[in-house]
Amino acid sequence: MPDVIVDCAIYREGRRHECATDFSRALEAARAEGHSFLWLGMYEPTQHEFDQVSSEFGLHPLAVEDALNAHQRPKLEVYDDSLFMVLKPITYDVTADTVTASELMVFVGDSFVVTVRHGTASPLAAVRRRLEHHPEILRHGPGAVLYAVSDAVVDHYIEVAGELQVDLEELEAEVFAPIRRETRNTAAQIYAFKREVLEFRRATVPLADPMSRLQSPGVPFVHDHARPFFRDVGDHLTRANESVEGLDRLLSDILAAHLAQMGVRQNDDMRKISAWAALAAVPTLIAGIYGMNFRDMPELSWSLGYPMVLLMMAVIEVSLYRLFKRRGWL
């Protein structure tokens, strides 16, 4: 059990106090003292490891199932004894150009917060350290933790959106570069980028509804004075979603422009091939005619026939070359 517990502490008046291994007594102490709550952080627990926690804290079985199975969409569930919220922190690897989404489940109840994370991307350690340096925020109870975690996740969305925007500008410059780079499959690169943006959207877009609900009155375990803070998180989430939508539209436009460029280049190549084929056809035709082994053919006995034919081929070739060059076919 200790292997999956990342951190555990009781916060009294916003000040940290170490937590005992007996969660039941620690929770009872936090409830009895008032202005205290227990914050338990876990990493990828198994069902057996989480059974004790769920029974001690009275967590709803459906929420427990979601927390163990992961692969959930961002959402907010309200139960009789607790709130259950799913967040999807993301990381962007600039070297591999990949977006990786983790999952973070937050249980908020009467005098307790339980966080369960899956994956490597998680802001919890930094959030906990920052809150412990601001006890005036922790005094507001478990709702303050939910706000701080949500704010950290959403703020990182904006940072990742900025990194994606930089990479998108580089891709756009490559697509519209005057000199083509034949060594890279640009279409495949654009499609890969769209998949990463789609992974980003799966984390940000579904979170809009939970943020909207947290801004509304009547949500248990969230005090009325906390609603403006969740409204601020909602504003940041709107910015992130607008950035994601803009990235997706730009990628679609870049892909359409790239495909149009491919068509134009193919037409140019076909014109050049046709022009060179026409230049090769004229001497081939003349040589083919005079290569026929008939006895009675004009100019066969003429001493100037050979140079005249060569001169005629040269004149026709030069004329065709100038014509094609003037029309941009060569």
Side-chain angles (χ1 to χ4, degrees):
M1 185 68 176
D3 295 337
V4 301
I5 298 177
V6 179
D7 200 352
C8 178
I10 296 177
Y11 294 90
R12 298 187 180 98
E13 295 292 340
R15 301 293 180 181
R16 179 188 175 101
H17 298 270
E18 295 302 323
C19 173
T21 56
D22 190 341
F23 305 119
S24 179
R25 291 183 179 179
L27 183 59
E28 289 179 0
R31 287 172 172 169
E33 293 169 358
H35 301 290
S36 301
F37 68 93
L38 174 67
W39 184 356
L40 175 66
M42 307 183 71
Y43 176 70
E44 295 185 355
T46 63
Q47 183 173 357
H48 175 71
E49 293 167 335
F50 201 60
D51 281 344
Q52 181 183 355
V53 175
S54 61
S55 60
E56 295 289 351
F57 288 86
L59 306 179
H60 197 279
L62 293 177
V64 171
E65 181 181 358
D66 290 342
L68 293 175
N69 294 334
H71 303 293
Q72 304 294 319
R73 299 175 74 250
K75 63 180 180 178
L76 175 67
E77 300 287 349
V78 180
Y79 300 102
D80 293 335
D81 299 325
S82 63
L83 285 179
F84 175 65
M85 188 169 184
V86 178
L87 298 162
K88 294 181 76 71
I90 60 174
T91 55
Y92 182 57
D93 187 348
V94 294
T95 58
D97 295 336
T98 56
V99 173
T100 304
S102 301
E103 293 195 30
L104 176 60
M105 287 76 171
V106 184
F107 295 88
V108 177
D110 182 17
S111 301
F112 72 83
V113 177
V114 177
T115 54
V116 180
R117 66 184 181 92
H118 296 263
T120 57
S122 174
L124 288 180
V127 170
R128 192 187 284 258
R129 287 194 301 268
R130 186 168 64 252
L131 286 176
E132 288 174 356
H133 285 87
H134 294 85
E136 68 279 4
I137 299 177
L138 281 173
R139 289 193 185 99
H140 293 96
V145 176
L146 180 61
Y147 154 72
V149 172
S150 303
D151 185 56
V153 171
V154 172
D155 284 347
H156 191 60
Y157 288 164
I158 298 176
E159 295 176 7
V160 172
E163 294 174 351
L164 287 172
Q165 182 66 40
V166 172
D167 288 349
L168 179 61
E169 291 173 358
E170 295 177 356
L171 179 61
E172 185 178 16
E174 179 180 338
V175 170
F176 293 103
I179 301 177
R180 291 180 291 174
R181 297 180 182 179
E182 304 294 349
T183 57
R184 303 190 66 179
N185 191 338
T186 307
Q189 188 180 3
I190 295 173
Y191 276 116
F193 207 124
K194 284 184 72 69
R195 284 196 299 268
E196 303 308 322
V197 172
L198 177 61
E199 185 70 18
F200 194 5
R201 292 185 62 181
R202 289 172 179 166
T204 62
V205 174
L207 190 59
D209 181 65
M211 283 295 108
S212 177
R213 293 176 61 187
L214 288 171
Q215 299 171 33
S216 304
V219 179
F221 310 110
V222 177
H223 296 292
D224 291 341
H225 65 265
R227 290 204 303 271
F229 297 96
F230 285 106
R231 191 177 302 119
D232 180 68
V233 177
D235 291 340
H236 292 178
L237 180 61
T238 300
R239 287 175 51 196
N241 283 330
E242 290 175 350
S243 298
V244 173
E245 294 294 335
L247 289 171
D248 190 56
R249 287 195 301 269
L250 282 175
L251 277 171
S252 298
D253 294 341
I254 291 173
L255 179 59
H258 173 67
L259 295 177
Q261 284 183 335
M262 291 288 291
V264 171
R265 289 169 183 170
Q266 288 176 353
N267 290 335
D268 290 340
D269 292 340
M270 288 302 299
R271 283 198 300 266
K272 291 179 180 179
I273 293 172
S274 300
W276 285 113
L279 289 173
V282 171
T284 302
L285 175 62
I286 297 174
I289 292 175
Y290 279 91
M292 293 185 293
N293 296 321
F294 295 114
R295 185 177 59 185
D296 297 326
M297 289 185 66
E299 294 90 23
L300 287 179
S301 301
W302 188 27
S303 59
L304 297 179
Y306 181 70
M308 287 299 295
V309 169
L310 291 180
L311 179 60
M312 180 177 61
M313 289 182 182
V315 170
I316 294 175
E317 288 294 291
V318 171
S319 300
L320 288 175
Y321 180 83
R322 294 181 62 184
L323 175 63
F324 294 150
K325 192 72 173 179
R326 187 168 57 250
R327 294 188 176 183
W329 287 28
L330 293 174

